[in-house]
Amino acid sequence: MKALVKSAVCLVALAGIMDGAAQAAPAVTVQPWGKTPAGEDVKIITLTNDHAMTVRVITYGGIIQSVEAPDRAGHVQDLVLGFGTLEGYTKDSAEGGLFFGAMIGRYANRLAHGTFTIDGKSYHTDLTDPPNALHGGKIGFDKHVWTLVDTKKNAKGASVTLRLVSPNGDQGFPGTLTTSVTYTLDENNALSLHYQATTDAPTVLNLTNHSYWNLNGEGSGSIENEVMQINAERYTPTDGTSIPTGELATVAGTPLDFRKPMRIGDHLRSDFAQMLIARGYDHNWIVDGAYGKAPRPAAVIFDPASGRTLEVSTNQPGLQVYTSNSLTGKYAGISHRAYRQTDALALEAEHYPDSPNHPSFPTTELRPGQKFDYTTIFKLGTR
């Protein structure tokens, strides 16, 4: 009898352990998250793994609303700037936009004078950063509600796929473009973004994500003490309006030389001409190694205070690094603290700015029968 009781207790205990394991396994949940001013329903999708990491994505703008991960002591914090309600994002969009966590398209970064040419025909999009276009026009991908296509979970991770169809002529861009993005959180605390797109007519395309990262926690202040390493020997210098000159310049001897780990704040206030133009870092580094194949290392960020690390890998050709130079304290985020210059770091893996107007740059043309297919991975850890 005692043996039977003991066996029963063991079975109950084992069932509890298995149940706990099931609860801790990768998971996906979908919930309503309000309506846009136009009355469109927005959803929030939560991805979790069994290593205390959580990622939330909203269908409005394909925005990464939060990324929660532990520090070296196990304390979990949100590491991206953002808002606790949909209203924060729609208000930002209506007022011009700082693109908190958003999917950027059709063309991320700048197009000189909002103009480009395909097969001898010129096209024009709105000048959202006069005298140039920035991040896809007045109603870019960040201002649309994306369609929730699918969610998945298995022992390796959890994912969600969103889709947006951009009609021919949208913001001045030719061709009906169908874009999907799959966000996957795996068991190695890596968040991958897989971009795919097809078109029914020749067009140009440059997609990225515009999350603002602070490894010491959202709202914790400046990222100047974080240490950054960028796997790039060259960058694309710009003119006074942040348009590339066409030169592929060495980083050697400049404040942009992050080939070895360097504190971000060390040269942030340098009088180097490129730094004065951007009011800090807002430059495209040419990531070493072949693009378009498997993701290769692009950058590593380390926060000494929390011990967190962020490894960025991508098969895109460039990495735009931006020290949130336009945050002025106008917005307060989830922490109810105002966001100011240098409070975060945007790591925008993408093609080079203004590529359609520089034939020597990797092409951003997409034609019928071709597929835009790129992946960027953000892997969190601690030291």
Side-chain angles (χ1 to χ4, degrees), residues 209-232:
N209 173 266
H210 204 286
S211 289
Y212 290 90
W213 295 87
N214 187 318
L215 297 186
N216 197 33
E218 175 273 335
S220 65
S222 178
I223 45 81
E224 292 184 50
N225 285 329
E226 294 185 7
V227 176
M228 179 164 64
Q229 183 173 10
I230 302 175
N231 184 31

Side-chain angles (χ1 to χ4, degrees), residues 166-184:
S166 174
N168 178 46
D170 185 13
Q171 308 304 296
F173 292 92
T176 298
L177 183 80
T178 301
T179 299
S180 69
V181 186
T182 298
Y183 308 74
T184 302

Side-chain angles (χ1 to χ4, degrees), residues 142-159:
D142 58 294
K143 298 175 180 65
H144 287 276
V145 176
W146 291 57
T147 299
L148 174 57
V149 176
D150 191 20
T151 62
K152 294 180 180 179
K153 61 180 179 178
N154 55 41
K156 295 182 179 180
S159 69

Side-chain angles (χ1 to χ4, degrees), residues 112-308:
H113 308 294
T115 300
F116 58 95
T117 301
I118 302 175
D119 297 337
K121 183 177 179 180
S122 292
Y123 297 89
H124 306 274
T125 190
D126 293 320
L127 305 184
T128 49
D129 184 32
N132 306 310
L134 176 66
H135 291 338
K138 289 184 178 179
I139 309 176
F141 285 9
D142 58 294
K143 298 175 180 65
H144 287 276
V145 176
W146 291 57
T147 299
L148 174 57
V149 176
D150 191 20
T151 62
K152 294 180 180 179
K153 61 180 179 178
N154 55 41
K156 295 182 179 180
S159 69
V160 58
T161 298
L162 305 181
R163 182 171 60 212
L164 182 69
V165 178
S166 174
N168 178 46
D170 185 13
Q171 308 304 296
F173 292 92
T176 298
L177 183 80
T178 301
T179 299
S180 69
V181 186
T182 298
Y183 308 74
T184 302
L185 174 62
D186 71 15
E187 287 301 276
N188 294 314
N189 276 10
L191 169 64
S192 68
L193 277 63
H194 183 199
Y195 309 96
Q196 293 181 300
T198 57
T199 181
D200 66 358
T203 192
V204 296
L205 179 65
N206 194 15
L207 300 175
T208 195
N209 173 266
H210 204 286
S211 289
Y212 290 90
W213 295 87
N214 187 318
L215 297 186
N216 197 33
E218 175 273 335
S220 65
S222 178
I223 45 81
E224 292 184 50
N225 285 329
E226 294 185 7
V227 176
M228 179 164 64
Q229 183 173 10
I230 302 175
N231 184 31
E233 295 186 357
R234 297 177 297 167
Y235 76 105
T236 52
T238 69
D239 63 18
T241 69
S242 297
I243 293 295
T245 63
E247 180 185 4
L248 306 182
T250 179
V251 298
T254 77
L256 284 82
D257 190 352
F258 283 90
R259 289 175 294 178
K260 294 182 179 180
M262 181 171 67
R263 180 178 171 273
I264 293 172
D266 281 358
H267 300 292
L268 196 57
R269 290 165 179 79
S270 166
D271 64 356
F272 184 62
Q274 288 291 303
M275 299 293 287
L276 294 176
I277 290 170
R279 295 177 293 133
Y281 291 108
D282 189 10
H283 301 84
N284 169 60
W285 276 260
I286 299 169
V287 180
D288 293 345
Y291 71 91
K293 299 180 180 180
R296 77 280 195 212
V300 178
I301 319 298
F302 170 61
D303 176 53
S306 67
R308 291 189 182 93

Side-chain angles (χ1 to χ4, degrees), residues 53 67 69 79 188-190 213 215 309-310 378-382:
M53 187 165 169
V67 177
L79 307 181
N188 294 314
N189 276 10
W213 295 87
L215 297 186
T309 60
L310 177 63
F378 301 98
K379 185 178 187 299
L380 284 152
T382 57

